[in-house]
Amino acid sequence: MGRTVTRLAAAEGATLVGAVVSPRSRALGRDAGEVAGAGVLGVELSADTAAGLLGADVVIDFSTAAALPHLLQLAARAKVAVVSGTTGLDATCERVLDEAARVVPVLWAPNTSVGVQVLAELVALAASKLGVGFDVEIVEAHHRAKVDAPSGTAERLRAAVEEARQELVPVYGREGKPGPRRGEEIGMHAVRGGDVIGEHTVHFLGQGERLELTHRATSRDLFARGALRAARFLRGKPAGRYAMVDVIRS
């Protein structure tokens, strides 16, 4: 994602002032543009997050839940807005997101795709209109290297269903003899394998009919484009928490 954001940012004419990678990265010390296939940009890949924020208006983060709190603290100190698509966050990450948002604008999204945000809105509408006569199951598929399950996007879609049907509770996978499906369940299922970028389907299963709403990612470029659009949106905004819905409605 870092390479993709760098390549598309350069193509859009954005100015890259810093690029941060893991201290264990084999690309450490190389030119970020060359690594991304965007030509020489004069920005060296560094493990120094604080140095990478110097001169930045917005930092775009696709890292890990373990790395995010430190980045947020440094960004708040440097008065740099944050766009983050890192998933698998725990309570500490959520707390630091809120703390940073008191100082700078912060947009966190489990998926920075504009299409996924529209899907979430359609899912909420469908759940509201179809009502209790339809069971809801969410199935997501990702590449074999993804470390968290279910995906943050699947959880976002679950929340969209619960906006309309607050009586529902998630059930993560099934095995053995769980008995008949209860009406208050939202089934959550994760598939892992190969190089799948990301697929999410919300099934609404009724009597004699079913509705399926699906988003399929065929290129990681879409996540980077959404993140860059979010970064442009955040420039000049007051401190606070923002979401992709704010971006697409602006």
Side-chain angles (χ1 to χ4, degrees):
M1 282 307 304
R3 290 192 296 270
T4 305
V5 169
T6 299
R7 173 171 52 80
L8 294 180
E12 291 183 5
T15 301
L16 188 73
V17 299
V20 180
V21 293
S22 164
R24 298 181 298 277
S25 173
R26 289 180 293 180
L28 192 66
R30 295 180 58 191
D31 185 272
E34 285 189 317
V35 172
V40 176
L41 296 178
V43 175
E44 184 180 289
L45 288 167
S46 170
D48 187 341
T49 304
L53 294 173
L54 293 175
D57 295 313
V58 186
V59 57
I60 296 177
D61 163 66
F62 288 96
S63 58
T64 67
L68 181 56
H70 183 57
L71 169 65
L72 289 166
Q73 291 164 348
L74 291 175
R77 192 178 307 159
K79 300 297 190 292
V80 176
V82 179
V83 173
S84 177
T86 295
T87 59
L89 307 191
D90 59 14
T92 297
C93 287
E94 293 288 352
R95 175 179 55 78
V96 182
L97 279 168
D98 287 335
E99 289 173 355
R102 298 189 189 105
V103 182
V104 295
V106 173
L107 187 152
W108 175 82
N111 191 309
T112 53
S113 159
V114 173
V116 162
Q117 176 56 45
V118 174
L119 172 63
E121 295 188 13
L122 293 173
V123 165
L125 177 63
S128 174
K129 296 296 185 181
L130 295 173
V132 297
F134 285 75
D135 298 321
V136 185
E137 300 277 311
I138 299 174
V139 181
E140 56 96 346
H142 282 86
H143 53 87
R144 64 189 304 169
K146 186 169 178 61
V147 298
D148 57 317
S151 69
T153 301
E155 294 286 17
R156 171 68 184 91
L157 296 173
R158 174 187 59 77
V161 173
E162 291 175 348
E163 290 173 15
R165 297 185 57 188
Q166 297 179 10
E167 80 280 6
L168 298 182
V169 293
V171 173
Y172 294 92
R174 298 187 182 92
E175 63 178 349
K177 295 181 179 181
R181 188 192 193 281
R182 296 171 298 160
E184 67 270 20
E185 294 182 4
I186 303 178
M188 303 288 290
H189 310 281
V191 177
R192 295 289 178 268
D195 61 353
V196 179
I197 293 173
E199 296 185 4
H200 296 84
T201 298
V202 182
H203 301 263
F204 293 91
L205 304 116
Q207 297 299 312
E209 62 178 331
R210 68 183 183 187
L211 174 66
E212 298 174 357
L213 298 174
T214 298
H215 180 275
R216 293 187 178 91
T218 57
S219 167
R220 285 186 173 80
D221 285 14
L222 70 96
F223 305 122
R225 288 194 184 98
L228 287 164
R229 180 172 171 179
R232 292 192 297 271
F233 167 81
L234 281 192
R235 287 189 65 189
K237 290 291 188 296
R241 289 288 298 267
Y242 297 86
M244 286 303 294
V245 65
D246 302 311
V247 176
I248 68 170
R249 291 177 180 174
S250 64

